[in-house]
Amino acid sequence: MTAGNNGGVTVNGRNYRKPLAPTVVICFDGCDPRYIFHGAEAGLIPNISAIMSDGFFAIADAVMPTFTNPNNMSIVSGAPPSVHGISGNYYLDRATGREVMVTDASLVSCDTILAALANAGIRVAAITAKDKLRKMLGNGLRGICFSSERAHDATHEENGIDAVEGLVGRSTPDMYSPDLSLFALDAGIRLLETRRSNVLYVSLSDMVQHRAAPGEELANTFNRDVDQRIGKMLELGAIVGIVADHGMSEKCTPDGQAKVVYLEKALDEQFGGGCVRVICPIADPFVKHHGALGSFVRVYVIGSAPAQVLMDAAARIPGVALVLDGKSAAARYEMPVAWEGDFIAIGDTYTAIGSRPDEHDLSGLDGHRLRSHGGLTEQPVPFMVSRTLNAAYRAIASNRRLRNFDIFDFVLNGTA
Amino acid sequence: MTAGNNGGVTVNGRNYRKPLAPTVVICFDGCDPRYIFHGAEAGLIPNISAIMSDGFFAIADAVMPTFTNPNNMSIVSGAPPSVHGISGNYYLDRATGREVMVTDASLVSCDTILAALANAGIRVAAITAKDKLRKMLGNGLRGICFSSERAHDATHEENGIDAVEGLVGRSTPDMYSPDLSLFALDAGIRLLETRRSNVLYVSLSDMVQHRAAPGEELANTFNRDVDQRIGKMLELGAIVGIVADHGMSEKCTPDGQAKVVYLEKALDEQFGGGCVRVICPIADPFVKHHGALGSFVRVYVIGSAPAQVLMDAAARIPGVALVLDGKSAAARYEMPVAWEGDFIAIGDTYTAIGSRPDEHDLSGLDGHRLRSHGGLTEQPVPFMVSRTLNAAYRAIASNRRLRNFDIFDFVLNGTA
C-alpha cells in the first residue's frame, strides 16, 4: 500500500497514510542518546530495549537551534523551521525593537500533520507536559489537545476534552515534577484504552534531563517510569515512535562550575555599552532549571560597531564554537530568515551562551550542575519505531541523514 | 529552453545543459568571503565587483570537511562527498591499519560533470594549480587536464595537451608562488582564445590565503591579479562562475600565537599512550604554509578506552567546537561513512586541531600567522555568476541553502 491509497493526507509536501493501528509518537524531551544507551545497558528500560532490538533504532539529527519549540513544531509538521516559522521561544522584533515571547500559534506558518489527519476524520490527540507548547502544536487541530500543566483547566471548547484529572485518576502535577511528563503519558494511555485517540502525540518535559545526568537516580527512575508507560502502549497494540527534540549536555567545567559566556556583557566591555542586544531563544517563564542559558543565541547590532568586527570578537571568546551571519545561519540551519539576528553564536559542547549575568538567575539550580542544550552537540537524538520497517523505509534510513521530524513519516508510512 | 532540450547531460541525478557560450568555473581556493568584501570596498577587484552588482552574488556553504579535495570533487560532480567518495587527503585504512595518502582517482565513486560534458562532445578543459588534484578531477575526462605545477610535463597522452609553457608564454611556476594560480588562469584564457575549450574549470591554490589576511599586501596583489584574469575571460565572452572550496581563518590567539589542540597527545596523556590515532585529512606533502593543521580531524580508537569516554574528554578541551561519532558525522555532513573515524573533532573559528606536535612542522610559517580551514567557520564561501539568473534560478537561490557545488548547475542552467 502506498501513500494516498487509504485516503492519506499531504502536509508540507509529504504524504502520510492514515494509521493502520493506533499510532503514538512520543517526543522524549531532552532525551540525549546517552540516557538510552545507559538505560539499555543497566537494564532500566526493557520496553525501549525491545524496540531497539526488534523494531527500528537510529540516531537522527534535531533541528537547530536545539530547543523545544522549534523541534516540536518540526516533528508535528514534518518540516524544518524555515517552513513552520518557529525558531525559538523568544525574539527581538526588529520592526518595533521590542522583545517578544512566543506563547501561541501566531507565528506558525504551516499546517501540521496532526491537524490534517484530524481533518481527514482520524481521532487525533496531542498532549504536552507544558502549556506553552500546547497552543502551538494544537494549531488548527480539531481534536484533543491539552497539557498536564493545565489538566485541571481542560474544557471541551478549548481542549476537546474535560475532566482530565478524573480520566487519569490523579490531580494536575506540579510544574517542576517528573510527573508532569508521566501524567501526559498516562493520559495518553487512557485515551488509547478508551479509543478516543487513534493518532496520539505526547510531548514530555526535560526538567529531569536538565537536573540529572545518565546514571543519576532521578534520571534512572524517570526513564524507568517512562519506559513502563511505553510498555503499556505497546500492550494496547499501538505502533510507537519515539524521538527527542534535542539532547542535553553539561554546560560546566569538569568540577561542576557553570561555564557561561555572557556575550552581551563581553561585547559591551570591548566595544562600549549598547553595541549589541543578545537574545537567548531558550528564555521562557520557566527557567528554574537552566537560568535561560543554552548554547545558541541571536545577536542584534544596535550600536555603531560593524557586525563583522563584533562577529570576529565573538568568535574569539573561549567556548564559542561558531559564529555566522544571520542570513548564512538561516540558510544553513533552515531557520526562518525573518527572525534571525545580525549574527548567531553557538557554544561548544560544554559552554552555554547568555546575555548579561543579571538576566540569568542560576539560583534555581540548587547546587546541581548546569545542563542545557541549543547547540550542535545536542542535535543527535534517538529515533525509534516499535515495528520493523518496510523495505522502502529501511532504504531511506540507510541512505540519508535522518531528522527527528521524519518520525511521523516513519511510523505512518514505514511500518507495513 | 529546459535541460535536455539541447542534448544536455545528467550527472549524479542533476541535469546540465550544454553551454550556450564559453563557460568558465573558477574554484578560488581559500577565498574567504572577507577577501571579496575587502577587495570590493578597496576597489581592488573591479571585474568581480561588476559581477556582484550586475550578475549574481551570494554566500554558499562549502562541504565538510572544508578542505580542498572534497570540495573540488563536489564542485565538479555537483554532489556531496557521500556521493563522490572523497572526504580528505589522508586516511586511516581500517582494514590494513595503514595510513593512506589520496593521490589519484582510485577512491572517486561517481562521474563528473566535466567527463559527462566531454562525452557529449563538448570541448572540456580542467586546469589545477596543484597536481595532486589533477588526477582526481580529471577522472574519466576525455579532454584537456593538467596542472600548473607540472605544466612542463604535460603530454597529449596524459593531459590532452602539450607545450603548455609555450601556450602561456612563461615557464612552470614555483610550487609556492602566487603564480601557480595565475598560470592556471592564464592557461585557461589561452584555451578560450584558441577555442580549445568551451567548458573550462580552473582550480587555484590557497597558498596566498594561508599566508595573508584580507588587506595584507600579498593578498591584495593576488586578488587584483586574479580579478584582472577574470576581466579578460569576460572580455572573451565567457560566462564565468566563481566559487571557493573553503574559507580561511586565523588559527591563533589575538597576539598571533598558533592556537592548536594536539588531540592525540592530549588524549594519550589522559588515557595512556596509544589510546587513539588522530588523522588530519588536510595532510599532504605540501604543508609548508599550514603544517598539516586544519580544524577537522578524524579519531580512531586503538586502545581500550571506550569511544564515548574519549569523545567526552575531547569535547572538554578548550578550542574544540564539536565532537560527533563517525556515523552521525557522516550522516550530518554527507561524508562517505566507510572512511569515517570512530569520531570526528572540529575546532572553533580560531583553533586548529592536530595530532602530536612532532607531526606538525610549523617552521614553514616563517613568522606569519597560522591561517587554515577545515571547520564549520570556513563553510561560507562566495558564489557568483557573471550573468543575471533566469527566474527559475533566482527562485532557487532565494528558497534554499546554496552549496558551492551548485555552481555548474547555475552557470549552465541558470543563465538564459
Side-chain angles (χ1 to χ4, degrees), chain A residues 26-99:
Chain A
I26 297 170
C27 176
F28 202 158
D29 195 339
C31 184
D32 196 274
R34 294 166 195 214
Y35 290 104
I36 300 298
F37 295 137
H38 176 271
E41 236 177 62
L44 301 170
I45 49 171
N47 295 296
I48 289 174
S49 296
I51 292 174
M52 291 169 77
S53 56
D54 305 337
F56 174 72
F57 174 80
I59 300 294
D61 267 346
V63 305
M64 285 290 288
T66 46
F67 293 130
T68 293
N69 287 5
N71 277 282
N72 269 274
M73 276 309 304
S74 281
I75 293 166
V76 301
S77 61
S82 52
V83 171
H84 61 65
I86 303 295
S87 59
N89 303 342
Y90 201 83
Y91 293 98
L92 182 73
D93 185 336
R94 284 175 187 272
T96 63
R98 286 176 52 197
E99 297 178 16

Side-chain angles (χ1 to χ4, degrees), chain B residues 362-411:
Chain B
L362 289 176
S363 65
L365 294 182
D366 289 336
H368 77 79
R369 290 177 175 221
L370 177 62
R371 297 172 55 78
S372 196
H373 50 93
L376 297 162
T377 303
E378 294 83 24
Q379 276 195 283
V381 292
F383 181 106
M384 44 189 131
V385 178
S386 64
R387 304 219 176 153
T388 52
L389 297 182
N390 57 37
Y393 278 74
R394 283 199 303 276
I396 291 172
S398 61
N399 284 330
R400 71 165 171 82
R401 175 192 187 197
L402 287 188
R403 306 302 305 266
N404 58 352
F405 61 79
D406 293 322
I407 191 71
F408 271 104
D409 182 22
F410 271 62
V411 292

Side-chain angles (χ1 to χ4, degrees), chain A residues 155-173:
Chain A
T155 63
H156 263 289
E157 293 70 37
E158 175 74 14
N159 307 97
I161 190 170
D162 60 9
V164 172
E165 292 186 337
L167 180 77
V168 177
R170 64 185 186 277
S171 56
T172 300

Side-chain angles (χ1 to χ4, degrees), chain A residues 34 250 252 312 316 379, chain B residues 34 250 252 312 316 332:
Chain A
R34 294 166 195 214
E250 280 188 2
C252 49
D312 289 353
R316 283 267 181 222
Q379 276 196 282
Chain B
R34 294 165 195 215
E250 279 189 2
C252 49
D312 289 353
R316 284 267 179 221
R332 188 183 295 186

Side-chain angles (χ1 to χ4, degrees), chain A residues 34 59 61 250 252-254 308 312 315-316 320-322 324 328 331-332 348-350 369 376-377 379-380 401, chain B residues 34 59 61 250 252-254 308 312 315-316 320-322 324 328 331-332 348-350 376-377 379-380 401:
Chain A
R34 294 166 195 214
I59 300 294
D61 267 346
E250 280 188 2
C252 49
T253 60
Q308 190 61 56
D312 289 353
R316 283 267 181 222
V320 174
L322 180 64
L324 282 175
S328 295
R332 187 182 296 186
D348 67 23
T349 302
Y350 294 105
R369 289 177 175 223
L376 297 162
T377 303
Q379 276 196 282
R401 174 193 188 199
Chain B
R34 294 165 195 215
I59 300 294
D61 267 345
E250 279 189 2
C252 49
T253 59
Q308 189 60 55
D312 289 353
R316 284 267 179 221
V320 173
L322 181 64
L324 283 175
S328 295
R332 188 183 295 186
D348 65 24
T349 302
Y350 293 104
L376 297 162
T377 303
Q379 276 195 283
R401 175 192 187 197

Side-chain angles (χ1 to χ4, degrees), chain A residues 44-254:
Chain A
L44 301 170
I45 49 171
N47 295 296
I48 289 174
S49 296
I51 292 174
M52 291 169 77
S53 56
D54 305 337
F56 174 72
F57 174 80
I59 300 294
D61 267 346
V63 305
M64 285 290 288
T66 46
F67 293 130
T68 293
N69 287 5
N71 277 282
N72 269 274
M73 276 309 304
S74 281
I75 293 166
V76 301
S77 61
S82 52
V83 171
H84 61 65
I86 303 295
S87 59
N89 303 342
Y90 201 83
Y91 293 98
L92 182 73
D93 185 336
R94 284 175 187 272
T96 63
R98 286 176 52 197
E99 297 178 16
V100 183
M101 175 99 62
V102 181
T103 54
D104 60 25
S106 57
L107 296 181
V108 175
S109 52
C110 75
D111 292 331
T112 70
I113 303 163
L114 302 175
L117 287 169
N119 285 340
I122 306 297
R123 294 188 302 282
V124 175
I127 312 175
T128 63
K130 298 181 193 171
D131 204 60
K132 68 168 182 179
L133 248 187
R134 195 248 324 163
K135 286 184 191 166
M136 234 180 268
L137 296 184
N139 188 30
L141 170 58
R142 296 192 297 181
I144 295 170
C145 184
F146 65 95
S147 69
S148 300
E149 182 190 352
R150 311 284 301 171
H152 57 290
D153 279 348
T155 63
H156 263 289
E157 293 70 37
E158 175 74 14
N159 307 97
I161 190 170
D162 60 9
V164 172
E165 292 186 337
L167 180 77
V168 177
R170 64 185 186 277
S171 56
T172 300
D174 179 77
M175 180 71 199
Y176 287 106
S177 75
D179 196 39
L180 201 72
S181 295
L182 302 177
F183 188 96
L185 289 165
D186 286 335
I189 289 167
R190 291 294 292 135
L191 293 181
L192 291 174
E193 284 174 339
T194 57
R195 302 180 182 279
R196 295 171 75 175
S197 170
N198 218 16
V199 166
L200 172 66
Y201 182 64
V202 186
S203 183
L204 311 187
S205 152
D206 61 2
M207 168 263 166
V208 166
Q209 292 84 355
H210 273 290
R211 295 194 81 93
E216 289 184 40
E217 190 46 39
L218 177 65
N220 285 352
T221 302
F222 180 67
N223 291 332
R224 200 162 17 204
D225 289 345
V226 171
D227 182 79
Q228 187 243 315
R229 269 78 179 178
I230 290 167
K232 183 73 189 163
M233 290 172 171
L234 295 172
E235 266 175 39
L236 291 169
I239 300 173
V240 179
I242 305 170
V243 80
D245 50 353
H246 53 75
M248 186 72 70
S249 310
E250 280 188 2
K251 302 295 176 184
C252 49
T253 60

